[in-house]
């Protein structure tokens, strides 16, 4: 019995040591030179090693610039290790660089799917064809607002790794908005119509908005055009059916600048669309339904410049100054970046209803991206005749 107890105790101790090794911070080594040319081999957390590897010459230049000797390098190394040992006192992960980088890259992939869906919320008319410019002048112009569902769960993971605790209570799904002005003109002789849409917003040039969303700045530009040809021209209580094609271009960016980090995200999307739509006018109501295929090339780039000393440590910590030195010398990286780009095809179904009151036209629509499983919606108010 005693033997079995001893065996069990030994097994428990072995499991404990194994577990402690399993969850310990992993390190890799680089060799740098101090101001006197003395080689110093130091441990770098595996979390950031890929960002430091190959930059030894830059680190050496910094060590020479700040007149750093071997003893100070080793003090900074110990401070970094102490910070990583206590890192979960401040953030929920012991791999902040990895989590932030992966989270931002995954968010860029999600954003690349959402932007083309947001583009097609623009210039949606209930009637499949508005009519000819002659005989009878058919024209419409107004304002359109649309939203597409955007998964921000991976962005939240990145923000938490960057020490931004305020995002904890934010829903995992938010909306990507688009606001545009648009116009549509009926065709001449042949049964077609042409629509255009555009919008440009730069919050840094809008003083009241800039102050309201500080420290965030948003820059957004979109331009699009489409043409529809009526297969069935319809009439009173008779349906209309059209086929069409369009082109959309969107670019923009979001910048965040606060005490602990500066971040920027830039996106650009070019989309070609083919679509079909059917509608019928029932007195003043115009229900409609249709389908689209989007062929889109989208790119998203991001960059973060973070004061990691204030994220993974506090000024009251004994190792704070050492971490700050490690950042200043490049032993810990202060900036990192990533991107996502590619070409994709997005099949969409859409529908909605319009309200036609003399010269006022109100349209409410919704769509669903079958491939990316992204729902979207839009509402527009126009003067039309």
């Amino acid at each position: 019995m005693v033997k079995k107890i001893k065996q069990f105790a030994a097994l428990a101790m072995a499991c404990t040591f194994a577990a402690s090794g399993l969850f310990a911070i992993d390190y890799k080594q680089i060799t740098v030179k101090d101001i006197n040319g003395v080689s110093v081999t130091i441990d770098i957390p595996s979390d950031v090693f890929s960002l430091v590897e190959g930059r030894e010459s830059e680190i050496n230049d910094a060590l020479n610039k700040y007149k750093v000797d071997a003893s100070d390098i080793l003090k900074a190394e110990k401070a970094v290790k102490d910070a990583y040992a206590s890192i979960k006192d401040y953030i929920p992960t012991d791999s902040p660089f990895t989590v932030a980088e992966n989270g931002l890259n995954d968010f860029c992939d999600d954003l690349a799917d959402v932007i083309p869906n947001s583009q097609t919320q623009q210039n949606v008319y209930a009637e499949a064809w508005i009519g000819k410019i002659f005989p009878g002048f058919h024209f419409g112009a107004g304002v359109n607002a649309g939203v597409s569902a955007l998964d921000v769960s991976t962005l939240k993971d990145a923000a938490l790794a960057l020490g931004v605790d305020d995002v904890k209570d934010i829903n995992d799904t938010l909306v990507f908005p688009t606001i545009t002005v648009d116009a549509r003109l009926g065709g001449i002789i042949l049964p077609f119509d042409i629509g255009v849409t555009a919008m440009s917003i730069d919050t840094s040039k809008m003083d009241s908005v800039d102050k309201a969303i500080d420290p965030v700045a948003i820059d957004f530009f979109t331009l699009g055009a489409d043409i529809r040809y009526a297969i069935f021209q319809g009439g009173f209580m008779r349906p209309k059916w059209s086929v069409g094609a369009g082109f959309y271009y969107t670019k923009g960016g979001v910048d965040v600048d606060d005490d602990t980090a500066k971040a920027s995200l830039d996106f650009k999307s070019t989309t070609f669309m083919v679509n079909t739509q059917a509608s019928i006018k029932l007195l003043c109501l115009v229900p409609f339904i249709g389908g689209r295929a989007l062929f889109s090339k989208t790119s998203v780039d991001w960059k973060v410049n973070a004061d990691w000393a204030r994220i993974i440590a506090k000024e009251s910590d004994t190792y704070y100054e050492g971490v700050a030195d490690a950042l200043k010398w490049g032993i810990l990286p202060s900036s990192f970046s990533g991107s996502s780009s590619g070409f994709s095809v997005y099949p969409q179904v859409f529908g909605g209803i319009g309200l036609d009151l003399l010269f006022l036209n109100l349209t409410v629509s919704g769509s669903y991206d079958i491939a990316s499983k992204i729902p979207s919606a839009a509402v527009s108010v126009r003067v039309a005749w």
Side-chain angles (χ1 to χ4, degrees), residues 49-364:
F49 184 76
S50 63
L51 301 174
V52 177
E53 185 182 24
R55 297 181 56 247
E56 288 85 350
S57 62
E58 295 176 35
I59 297 173
N60 291 338
D61 289 341
L63 295 174
N64 186 63
K65 174 182 177 181
Y66 292 105
K67 299 181 174 21
V68 183
D69 63 22
S71 62
D72 289 330
I73 296 172
L74 294 175
K75 287 178 183 177
E77 176 197 33
K78 182 179 183 304
V80 171
K81 286 185 174 182
D82 290 343
Y84 265 79
S86 304
I87 199 169
K88 287 192 176 180
D89 291 344
Y90 304 114
I91 55 178
T93 175
D94 56 13
S95 302
F97 284 88
T98 302
V99 172
E101 185 176 34
N102 290 343
L104 287 166
N105 282 332
D106 290 343
F107 175 70
C108 287
D109 291 339
D110 293 333
L111 187 59
D113 289 334
V114 168
I115 293 174
N117 281 275
S118 73
Q119 291 172 322
T120 56
Q121 304 314 302
Q122 308 170 43
N123 212 5
V124 177
Y125 275 68
E127 288 196 279
W129 171 59
I130 67 171
K132 299 178 182 178
I133 193 172
F134 182 82
F137 189 73
H138 293 88
F139 175 78
V143 179
N144 179 89
V147 294
S148 297
L150 175 61
D151 183 351
V152 296
S153 59
T154 54
L155 182 62
K156 285 174 59 178
D157 292 339
L160 289 171
L162 292 170
V164 184
D165 293 329
D166 296 340
V167 303
K168 287 181 179 178
D169 298 326
I170 295 177
N171 291 331
D172 286 345
T173 301
L174 298 179
V175 295
F176 183 86
T178 180
I179 301 175
T180 58
V181 294
D182 60 50
R184 187 170 293 276
L185 181 66
I188 301 174
I189 302 177
L190 296 175
F192 70 92
D193 61 30
I194 297 175
V196 294
T197 180
M199 179 58 71
S200 179
I201 298 174
D202 185 351
T203 60
S204 66
K205 298 178 181 178
M206 305 164 66
D207 188 58
S208 58
V209 177
D210 188 43
K211 291 179 180 178
I213 64 175
D214 183 69
V216 179
I218 300 172
D219 181 20
F220 179 83
F221 171 79
T222 186
L223 179 67
D226 73 288
I227 183 170
R228 303 184 301 179
Y229 184 87
I231 305 298
F232 295 157
Q233 299 182 31
F236 180 71
M237 301 294 287
R238 288 183 294 133
K240 295 180 179 179
W241 174 36
S242 66
V243 293
F247 174 84
Y248 296 94
Y249 174 76
T250 299
K251 71 173 183 178
V254 179
D255 294 300
V256 181
D257 188 350
D258 67 9
D259 294 337
T260 60
K262 295 181 181 180
S264 63
L265 186 149
D266 299 299
F267 54 85
K268 182 169 62 176
S269 179
T270 302
T271 301
F272 176 74
M273 172 194 73
V274 292
N275 73 303
T276 182
Q277 180 179 342
S279 66
I280 185 169
K281 190 168 186 178
L282 305 172
L283 299 178
C284 63
L285 296 177
V286 186
F288 64 96
I289 191 170
R292 306 183 183 105
L294 315 179
F295 305 88
S296 182
K297 182 180 180 181
T298 303
S299 62
V300 185
D301 301 287
W302 61 267
K303 182 177 181 179
V304 173
N305 193 321
D307 184 357
W308 286 96
R310 301 179 65 178
I311 294 173
I312 65 176
K314 300 300 179 186
E315 292 186 18
S316 58
D317 292 328
T318 57
Y319 48 79
Y320 176 84
E321 291 297 332
V323 174
D325 286 338
L327 284 165
K328 182 169 64 176
W329 304 334
I331 294 173
L332 284 182
S334 59
S335 63
F336 55 115
S337 60
S339 63
S340 174
S341 63
F343 175 84
S344 298
V345 179
Y346 303 95
Q348 248 187 27
V349 292
F350 68 95
I353 191 166
L355 179 63
D356 192 356
L357 299 173
L358 295 178
F359 298 111
L360 182 65
N361 180 281
L362 172 67
T363 301
V364 178

